[in-house]
Amino acid sequence: MVALINVESSLPRPLWALVRHLATQPGRKQSLADAKALLSPPTLFKEGTDTAQVFDKALRLATGLGLVSNDEGKLALLEKINGDDIAAFYDLVRWRVLTRVTPEAVATDPSLTDGKDLLRALCWFLTRGSQSEAVTKKTFGGEQHKVLDDGLGNPLQNETRWNLFTYWAPALGFANWQLLGEEGTPGLVPDPTRAVRGVVRTLWKPGTRLDGQTFVSGLLDALPVFPGGAFSEALGLPTGPRGVADSMAFALQRGQEDGWLRLTTASDASNGIQYLDPAAAGGVGLFTDVEIGDVIHV
């Protein structure tokens, strides 16, 4: 599979368009030529865009991720996908991206293929808190300078990769655009709410109760790009001063507010997991136990 934040790769939306088209006729192989003609008309993008190339990139990524097969010009889905549920689709893509390579490969192989470029960029980005200054095309170069070993280089080596990152990080549920920012220079901030909610929905049924450390360990196993996760640790990135990264803490607070998480502290607890909580005394919250709420889809 090609690098994900590279000019050779597809953006998320064309990938979804292809998969959604194939999902409308489940179980049937469809002609490559017909799919290409339908999904890449000249009027689809602004004048001068090679729409056929957009389709080719989406197909190459779909086959690379094991979502679609191309057997002598006949396309077929390899996964059962609901063409009306884009959130579930991005959950699947996120899982495929996060499980393609080992932490050792991310940390020692300087190539960008198999999504290692995106994984490294996410690891760096999630060391930032959701209350940190937003990253923009004017600031990303300085913000990520020298965060990785010299042999790997900066996670985002040029503006093209930054631009592609601004599509992939939100699509996979790790970021959002800053609501208020400098005019003409939108900024990206960590917001992993959708990624965390997707893992919670997959791993635990509503009503499940578990201790805080088991819960956090489950999230880090499934989302190893967070500080404390396997990819981030392999890259030697800092874990932060609290039990969960500030970027993850934002998602946990959203979970409490929206009802799909309940974080509680035992009255006799001598310790617990600390997390950034601006509403708590000293700005630090604490929990020892977690209950999965009934509200999962928000």
Side-chain angles (χ1 to χ4, degrees):
M1 188 179 78
V2 299
L4 281 171
I5 46 177
N6 187 284
V7 291
E8 298 176 355
S9 183
S10 173
L11 291 174
R13 284 288 180 166
L15 177 66
W16 167 238
L18 170 61
V19 169
R20 186 181 186 189
H21 169 67
L22 296 176
T24 61
Q25 303 179 61
R28 289 183 55 188
K29 291 187 176 182
Q30 300 181 47
S31 163
L32 169 60
D34 290 346
K36 189 170 186 176
L38 178 67
L39 295 173
S40 56
T43 56
L44 186 61
F45 295 103
K46 64 183 180 180
E47 186 177 355
T49 300
D50 187 340
T51 56
Q53 187 181 62
V54 172
F55 175 87
D56 291 340
K57 290 179 179 179
L59 178 58
R60 184 163 58 244
L61 181 55
T63 55
L65 288 172
L67 302 174
V68 173
S69 66
N70 180 7
D71 183 13
E72 297 182 348
K74 295 293 184 180
L75 305 182
L77 277 180
L78 297 175
E79 291 281 345
K80 185 177 181 181
I81 292 175
N82 181 351
D84 295 322
D85 193 345
I86 190 172
F89 171 71
Y90 284 141
D91 284 346
L92 173 61
V93 173
R94 182 177 59 248
W95 180 78
R96 290 293 172 91
V97 170
L98 292 175
T99 56
R100 288 192 67 82
V101 294
T102 65
E104 181 182 10
V106 171
T108 61
D109 180 358
S111 72
L112 305 177
T113 57
D114 286 322
K116 293 191 291 294
D117 54 345
L118 177 59
L119 295 175
R120 293 179 190 126
L122 285 171
C123 286
W124 155 70
F125 188 68
L126 291 172
T127 62
R128 305 175 61 82
S130 296
Q131 297 188 32
S132 302
E133 288 290 327
V135 183
T136 73
K137 68 179 181 181
K138 293 182 178 180
T139 64
F140 80 91
E143 294 284 0
Q144 46 142 20
H145 185 58
K146 295 291 186 181
V147 297
L148 301 182
D149 289 342
D150 290 341
L152 296 176
N154 292 337
L156 300 166
Q157 297 175 10
N158 52 52
E159 190 171 314
T160 296
R161 289 179 182 167
W162 163 252
N163 288 337
L164 291 168
F165 181 75
T166 66
Y167 286 92
W168 275 106
L172 298 187
F174 291 109
N176 253 320
W177 290 103
Q178 184 184 31
L179 291 178
L180 298 174
E182 183 181 345
E183 185 176 356
T185 309
L188 205 65
V189 293
D191 179 1
T193 303
R194 287 191 295 112
V196 170
R197 189 172 67 229
V199 170
V200 168
R201 179 176 59 187
T202 299
L203 294 183
W204 301 291
K205 295 180 180 179
T208 300
R209 298 183 181 184
L210 59 163
D211 67 89
Q213 191 55 61
T214 299
F215 173 72
V216 171
S217 295
L219 291 181
L220 290 177
D221 285 344
L223 301 169
V225 288
F226 274 112
F231 288 149
S232 187
E233 288 195 332
L235 289 169
L237 293 171
T239 59
R242 287 171 277 275
V244 297
D246 291 352
S247 52
M248 182 185 286
F250 182 81
L252 301 186
Q253 291 173 72
R254 283 289 308 275
Q256 287 236 93
E257 293 170 359
D258 295 338
W260 47 273
L261 281 183
R262 298 187 184 96
L263 308 179
T264 57
T265 305
S267 58
D268 59 347
S270 58
N271 55 50
I273 296 176
Q274 294 185 340
Y275 67 103
L276 180 67
D277 181 1
V284 178
L286 188 74
F287 67 94
T288 58
D289 301 282
V290 178
E291 182 178 352
I292 309 304
D294 294 331
V295 182
I296 297 296
H297 296 281
V298 179

